[in-house]
Amino acid sequence: MKNNKIIPPATIGIIGGGQLGRMMAEAAKPMGYNVIILDPQPNSPAGQVSDKQIVAEYDDVAALTELAKLCDVLTYEFENVDTDALKQVSDLVSVPQGTKLLEITSDRLLEKEFIQKIGLPVTDFADVATIGNLPQAAAKVGYPAILKTRSGGYDGHGQWNIENEAEMKEVLHKLTGKINVPLILEKKLAFNQEISIMVTRDGNQEIRTWPIAQNTHQDHILKTTEVNNYLPEKLVQAAHEYARMIADALNLNGVLGIEMFVVGDEVYINELAPRPHNSGHYSIEGCNVSQFEGHIRSITGLPIAKIAQLDDSICMINLLGDQMTQARNDLINHPEWHFHDYQKDQIKPKRKMGHITVLGQKNSENLKTWEKAHHEIN
C-alpha cells in the first residue's frame, strides 16, 4: 500500500523502542499522528509516549505483519533491522525509506564503497572477508588502522585499534578461531575535528540540511555536541554539498545522519546512519524544525520549512550512566537546561540515559563545565 501524502490521524509504526523512537513519537503525536512501537522490552522508552507497543523481537515476522496491518507508514530507529523481514511486509504498508538504504548503511564495506562510488572523499579501506586476510589488508591500508566488524557494532563495540604491525599480529592471534564475521580495515585519519550533519528530503522533493554539529567523543561514545558559527565557510559549504549529494544518490526519504572528519581544510565522510542521529538532538530546541519532526514530515510526504538555527551558540551533552542521577539532582538549579530523560529501566555504565541542551554562549560554557565536573561515576 503506497501513499505519497500521509496526513493525521494516520498511524506511524516505529521498529525500535529506544530514545530515538521516543523522540520520533514525541514529534509525531502533537501533529495528530497515532504511533505504534515494536520492541522486545515492555514499557520501552518509546512505548511510554506512544499509543501502543507490540512486545516482540525485531525480526518476528508475525509481529511485523501485525504492526504493518495497523499502520499507514513504517519507519525504524536503528540500522540493524532485518531487511528480509521488512521486505515481507512492504506490500502491506508504506515503507518510504525502503530496504536499499538499510542494506548500504548496515554494512561498513558497502557503505564505504557507496561513498567512494559517488566521488566523495573517504579514508582508505580494505575488505577482511576472514580474519586470516588481515595481514594482506594491512599491507594495503597501512598503519595506524581500525579493524571493524562490517555490521552490528556501535559505540566502539566490534572495533580494534591497530597502531603498527606488532599490534596487527596481536589482534590476528587474539581473533583467529574466535571471530567468524566479515570485517573491514580502515586507515586512521589524523583528523582535526569530528563533525556531523543531518539531511532529509521532504514531500516536495526539497533537500533540507541541518546546521553542522561539532562533536567530541570519549570511549567511542558521543560526549558533547556544539553548534556555532566558528567553522570556516569552505568546510561548511563542503559538508552541506556532500550531504545533498548523498541524499540525491540514495533517493533519500527520512533523516540521514552523516558523520564526517575534518582533516586540515578537507572533509572526509566517516559513517552514515539511516535515521535521526545522536548529534542532532540539539535541533529539538535549537532549530525551527527538529530532526525528528523533519523525519516524520519526510516519511509522510509533508513539506519541511528551510531549516533555521535559533541561536548562535547551542550545546548538547549526553547523560551517560550515573550522570543522569546527578543531573536530576541538579535540575532545580538550572532553569536554562532543556532536560531530556529517556526513562530507561536501568542505569548502566556508559548507557545513554538522557541529554541536556542549552542555548547561548554563556550557557554552553556553563554546561561544558558541569559535564566535566559531573563525570560518570559508575
Side-chain angles (χ1 to χ4, degrees):
M1 178 168 53
K2 307 293 183 183
N3 188 351
N4 291 329
K5 308 292 181 185
I6 301 172
I7 62 173
T11 299
I12 298 171
I14 302 175
I15 302 171
Q19 64 264 25
L20 296 179
R22 180 186 181 98
M23 287 180 273
M24 288 181 194
E26 289 172 337
K29 288 299 296 175
M31 297 175 68
Y33 289 103
N34 296 299
V35 179
I36 302 177
I37 304 297
L38 187 147
D39 194 273
Q41 177 192 321
N43 197 37
S44 67
Q48 294 170 27
V49 297
S50 299
D51 297 281
K52 177 182 173 69
Q53 178 180 337
I54 297 172
V55 179
E57 297 295 333
Y58 306 124
D59 59 354
D60 185 327
V61 175
L64 278 170
T65 301
E66 179 188 356
L67 178 66
K69 290 179 177 179
L70 291 171
C71 297
D72 299 284
V73 61
L74 199 58
T75 186
Y76 41 79
E77 67 147 14
F78 58 92
E79 48 267 53
N80 296 314
V81 175
D82 188 312
T83 54
D84 290 335
L86 195 58
K87 286 176 182 177
Q88 291 187 53
V89 301
S90 60
D91 289 337
L92 302 173
V93 64
S94 175
V95 186
Q97 293 158 278
T99 56
K100 180 183 176 182
L101 177 64
L102 278 174
E103 290 165 356
I104 292 173
T105 57
S106 64
D107 186 317
R108 290 187 173 94
L109 180 65
L110 297 182
E111 185 175 87
K112 287 285 191 295
E113 290 175 341
F114 162 77
I115 296 166
Q116 191 177 64
K117 184 177 180 180
I118 64 174
L120 295 182
V122 65
T123 191
D124 292 337
F125 63 93
D127 184 14
V128 185
T130 67
I131 191 62
N133 298 130
L134 180 58
Q136 296 94 320
K140 176 184 176 182
V141 169
Y143 304 103
I146 307 176
L147 181 67
K148 302 178 179 180
T149 56
R150 280 176 52 177
S151 61
Y154 68 96
D155 289 346
H157 298 282
Q159 298 186 17
W160 298 266
N161 287 315
I162 300 176
E163 297 295 323
N164 49 50
E165 186 172 0
E167 289 192 8
M168 183 274 290
K169 291 179 179 178
E170 288 178 12
V171 170
L172 179 63
H173 177 73
K174 178 181 178 181
L175 297 183
T176 296
K178 296 180 180 177
I179 189 165
N180 59 359
V181 296
L183 303 158
I184 181 173
L185 188 69
E186 300 176 8
K187 182 71 178 289
K188 266 190 182 180
L189 290 173
F191 59 86
N192 308 100
Q193 195 172 14
E194 296 177 73
I195 63 173
S196 57
I197 188 169
M198 270 45 72
V199 61
T200 194
R201 192 177 56 165
D202 72 6
N204 296 329
Q205 307 305 304
E206 294 285 343
I207 292 176
R208 300 300 189 199
T209 55
W210 277 262
I212 295 169
Q214 301 173 59
N215 306 313
T216 60
H217 290 77
Q218 185 172 325
D219 299 327
H220 301 284
I221 302 172
L222 182 67
K223 186 177 181 183
T224 65
T225 290
E226 294 183 71
V227 179
N228 50 48
N229 299 320
Y230 300 157
L231 286 174
E233 185 59 26
K234 178 184 176 182
L235 292 180
V236 172
Q237 291 180 356
H240 283 274
E241 179 58 24
Y242 292 174
R244 286 189 286 268
M245 290 174 65
I246 291 170
D248 269 336
L250 289 171
N251 198 25
L252 182 66
N253 287 295
V255 164
L256 180 79
I258 307 174
E259 298 178 12
M260 304 177 178
F261 291 135
V262 177
V263 182
D265 60 354
E266 302 293 333
V267 177
Y268 285 74
I269 309 298
N270 179 31
E271 290 185 351
L272 309 179
R275 34 98 181 146
H277 192 267
N278 191 176
S279 64
H281 294 353
Y282 75 85
S283 63
I284 297 173
E285 290 85 21
C287 295
N288 60 322
V289 180
S290 76
Q291 65 167 343
F292 298 101
E293 181 181 345
H295 183 79
I296 296 301
R297 284 179 169 272
S298 177
I299 64 171
T300 57
L302 298 180
I304 301 173
K306 186 175 180 180
I307 308 301
Q309 186 176 325
L310 300 183
D311 198 285
D312 288 342
S313 180
I314 307 167
C315 183
M316 186 277 296
I317 67 164
N318 274 330
L319 297 172
L320 304 178
D322 197 62
Q323 278 185 317
M324 173 54 74
T325 303
Q326 300 173 65
R328 286 169 177 164
N329 291 332
D330 283 352
L331 183 58
I332 59 173
N333 301 314
H334 292 281
E336 76 280 10
W337 283 4
H338 297 282
F339 184 74
H340 295 258
D341 185 337
Y342 304 150
Q343 295 185 281
K344 293 187 175 180
D345 58 342
Q346 295 180 51
I347 292 178
K348 298 178 181 178
K350 298 185 180 181
R351 190 183 195 190
K352 295 170 184 173
M353 303 301 302
H355 73 268
I356 299 169
T357 301
V358 295
L359 278 60
Q361 184 61 46
K362 182 178 179 181
N363 290 336
S364 295
E365 293 302 323
N366 288 342
L367 183 59
K368 285 185 284 183
T369 299
W370 181 93
E371 201 280 335
K372 289 177 182 177
H374 296 77
H375 57 83
E376 184 185 0
I377 61 175
N378 277 341

